[in-house]
Amino acid sequence: MWFAFGCQNSNGVNFYNILTQEPDESRSSAAGEDYISLQVRRHIRPLHSQSLSQLMNGLIRKKLGIIPQNVTWGGQAEEVFSYMAGDFMRPVVDVVDQLLSAGVNVTVYNGQLDLIVDTMGQELWVKRLKWEGLPVFNKMRWTPLDDPTSQGVTGAFCKTYKNFGFYWILKAGHMIPSDQGPMALQMMKMITRQV
């Protein structure tokens, strides 16, 4: 798998955010750790801060009042990641075409610093769509969006036409909400038509 090869040969430059570099000890596998478990440890677990876990497993659990005691927020992340490993790096152009044709709203988004799911690669597969609105979408210009924390500074670009949208988030890698939380929230508000 080229991803594993690339990570081992990048001197710790993180493929999920190319502006970050990992220390030597976090790059190597622990005894018996497979590739998927290594990726979970490197990229998912660091996002599960204690305060968020406390909030989700405390106040939110209590407010909802429906979460079984044997279920904890984030407790199933590694298992889900493992079960979905077979879908990793598989083309979905046909599925997206079906959704668009059925009138389902589809949004594609990514961070500019993500080497795994890079913007140019996203644009290439989008151009392979057979969706009737694609010719108009392709002719559209990217619309700059202000960074919600720095008015007048561009934080993202977007293109939307009919039931398809594409957001390109600046200064963010694969984990957009952790890299650019306010911009991710603005994007979500735009997608759900709250702005």
Side-chain angles (χ1 to χ4, degrees):
M1 176 182 270
W2 74 268
F3 177 68
F5 175 79
C7 289
Q8 292 169 354
N9 295 290
S10 69
N11 197 35
V13 172
N14 186 334
F15 276 27
Y16 286 101
N17 185 324
I18 60 171
L19 294 185
T20 62
Q21 188 165 357
E22 298 180 45
D24 289 340
E25 61 273 6
S26 73
R27 286 185 258 159
S28 57
S29 296
E33 185 177 43
D34 64 14
Y35 174 75
I36 296 295
S37 297
L38 172 64
Q39 298 312 308
V40 168
R41 179 170 53 83
R42 289 175 69 199
H43 303 293
I44 295 174
R45 282 192 196 142
L47 299 174
H48 289 192
S49 68
Q50 186 61 27
S51 60
L52 183 56
S53 293
Q54 287 172 339
L55 172 68
M56 297 304 290
N57 290 315
L59 179 64
I60 300 300
R61 172 189 291 280
K62 185 177 176 182
K63 282 275 190 200
L64 292 174
I66 59 170
I67 301 171
Q69 285 302 313
N70 65 332
V71 175
T72 58
W73 181 85
Q76 64 284 354
E78 189 168 341
E79 192 172 348
V80 170
F81 196 86
S82 293
Y83 278 111
M84 294 183 72
D87 290 333
F88 188 69
M89 302 295 281
R90 292 201 181 204
V92 295
V93 176
D94 293 342
V95 174
V96 174
D97 268 326
Q98 291 171 12
L99 292 169
L100 289 168
S101 295
V104 174
N105 292 336
V106 174
T107 301
V108 173
Y109 67 94
N110 76 291
Q112 89 178 116
L113 302 174
D114 186 350
L115 186 61
I116 293 295
V117 185
D118 63 285
T119 303
M120 290 186 295
Q122 295 282 52
E123 287 183 299
L124 285 174
W125 77 256
V126 165
K127 288 178 181 177
R128 294 184 187 145
L129 291 170
K130 294 175 177 66
W131 172 54
E132 64 169 27
L134 189 63
V136 174
F137 180 85
N138 284 338
K139 289 179 185 173
M140 296 174 70
R141 295 182 57 120
W142 287 97
T143 301
L145 303 174
D146 275 356
D147 182 324
T149 61
S150 303
Q151 292 304 313
V153 174
T154 303
F157 292 94
C158 74
K159 281 205 264 190
T160 58
Y161 181 68
K162 293 189 178 184
N163 57 326
F164 184 65
F166 191 144
Y167 292 79
W168 174 15
I169 311 300
L170 303 180
K171 300 178 194 168
H174 197 78
M175 308 301 188
I176 291 171
S178 66
D179 291 343
Q180 288 294 335
M183 194 71 242
L185 180 59
Q186 180 177 327
M187 175 185 70
M188 290 303 296
K189 287 179 177 179
M190 292 174 72
I191 293 167
T192 59
R193 294 181 172 83
Q194 296 178 38
V195 174

